[in-house]
Amino acid sequence: MRHLLVVEDEDFSRSLLSAYLETGGFIVSGVGSGEQGLAAIDTGKIDVVLLDLGLPDLDGIEVLKRIRARSAVPVVIISSRERLEDRLVALEAGADDFLVKPFDPRELAARLKVVLRRSSGSSQRSESDSQELKELCFEGWKLRFATRDLISPDRVEIALTPSEFNLLAALASAPLRVLSREKLLDSIARKEDAPIDRTIDVLVSRLRRKIETDPRKPQLIVTIPGFGYRFAVSVTEAMSSNGAG
Ligand code: CA
């Protein structure tokens, strides 16, 4: 069973969510502050996080940034902040999804299913074993499908969020071809969220900060103005040598 952490200071809302998600097959832990949430994530046992933005000790965005500094665990924001800017700030800081309160718990359950399907180590993924073992290599980088992470040219493991991994996999799977934002959006399956252009653009800027030597002068993920992006280097495909990399 998946272990879900609810970080929410309103007792009633936290209990209600916990009870609903427990009947939906999750193991649920609930905490009421950002610091407690971070401590729970540090146990390494959390599979997905529901994070409220209005917390008594730390702002939720700050909590999210601290989560991302240590973990690629999927994070779904639940917040009464409904401005587009709030959604973009959360996405930029590494959120995987964003639900505005009040929401129907059935919608939350559906979004969690999508986020978990995209996330690493899922046993429910439908790809074949060969897909699981695939690696895409470019410019000394190695994108590993088995672990859904990235190895840098100097062999540092770089964690990617589910959306970042899916977007980079889509780009590197079609090297030197121009891909539209719509097509890239399909690959990360978040059509229902923020406007198309900004969702992909924000994710691309996150990826550039991880893989480009100078994110302001990108050499790998190149912008095609008014259309989309192109992965601008050639890519070779390999099979992983099972834990040796
Ligand atoms: Ca709150």
Side-chain angles (χ1 to χ4, degrees):
M1 280 211 288
R2 301 307 189 85
H3 195 155
L4 180 141
L5 175 69
V6 184
V7 186
E8 159 71 276
D9 59 318
E10 290 145 49
D11 293 339
F12 181 69
S13 166
R14 189 176 65 240
S15 318
L16 213 63
L17 276 177
S18 301
Y20 179 81
L21 292 164
E22 270 165 6
T23 63
F26 286 97
I27 301 166
V28 181
S29 300
V31 297
S33 76
E35 292 289 0
Q36 289 173 315
L38 291 166
I41 287 161
D42 281 341
T43 63
K45 292 182 180 147
I46 302 298
D47 297 307
V48 59
V49 180
L50 283 188
L51 176 63
D52 179 32
L53 292 184
L55 294 168
D57 57 340
L58 295 166
D59 186 75
I61 295 295
E62 179 58 28
V63 177
L64 177 58
K65 286 178 180 165
R66 294 193 195 179
I67 292 172
R68 281 292 164 260
R70 63 187 87 195
S71 166
V73 65
V75 177
V76 175
I77 301 293
I78 46 173
S79 176
S80 46
R81 298 178 198 170
E82 53 192 346
R83 294 180 314 146
L84 175 62
E85 290 72 22
D86 293 317
R87 186 180 286 247
L88 290 171
V89 165
L91 190 59
E92 172 98 21
D96 293 284
D97 208 339
F98 193 112
L99 264 114
V100 177
K101 296 178 189 175
F103 50 80
D104 187 322
R106 288 170 300 180
E107 179 173 16
L108 173 63
R111 302 277 193 106
L112 283 173
K113 210 180 276 181
V114 172
V115 164
L116 283 167
R117 199 166 52 222
R118 299 199 299 248
S119 80
S120 59
S122 169
S123 54
Q124 296 159 2
R125 293 180 51 199
S126 56
E127 285 97 326
S128 65
D129 284 353
S130 66
Q131 183 72 10
E132 289 284 325
L133 290 172
K134 190 166 82 170
E135 294 179 348
L136 295 178
C137 311
F138 51 92
E139 303 287 301
W141 293 86
K142 203 184 270 186
L143 185 66
R144 302 192 298 187
F145 282 62
T147 42
R148 294 173 64 85
D149 63 4
L150 187 65
I151 305 296
S152 77
D154 41 7
R155 303 185 65 79
V156 177
E157 278 184 33
I158 294 176
L160 297 174
T161 68
S163 301
E164 288 170 0
F165 176 88
N166 290 340
L167 179 60
L168 185 55
L171 284 162
S173 296
L176 310 177
R177 296 217 310 264
V178 174
L179 299 175
S180 68
R181 287 188 174 82
E182 288 77 6
K183 182 149 178 86
L184 291 169
L185 200 71
D186 281 347
S187 70
I188 61 165
R190 30 183 330 139
K191 286 194 243 310
E192 72 282 4
D193 290 343
I196 287 170
D197 288 11
R198 289 304 302 272
T199 302
I200 292 297
D201 296 347
V202 165
L203 279 172
V204 163
S205 72
R206 266 161 53 183
L207 277 174
R208 279 175 173 160
R209 285 203 297 273
K210 293 188 175 183
I211 67 173
E212 297 282 1
T213 312
D214 179 356
R216 288 161 305 175
K217 291 181 189 144
Q219 306 291 310
L220 299 174
I221 305 176
V222 172
T223 304
I224 308 299
F227 187 76
Y229 293 93
R230 185 171 72 104
F231 201 69
V233 295
S234 56
V235 176
T236 56
E237 192 174 319
M239 299 303 272
S240 83
S241 40
N242 211 11

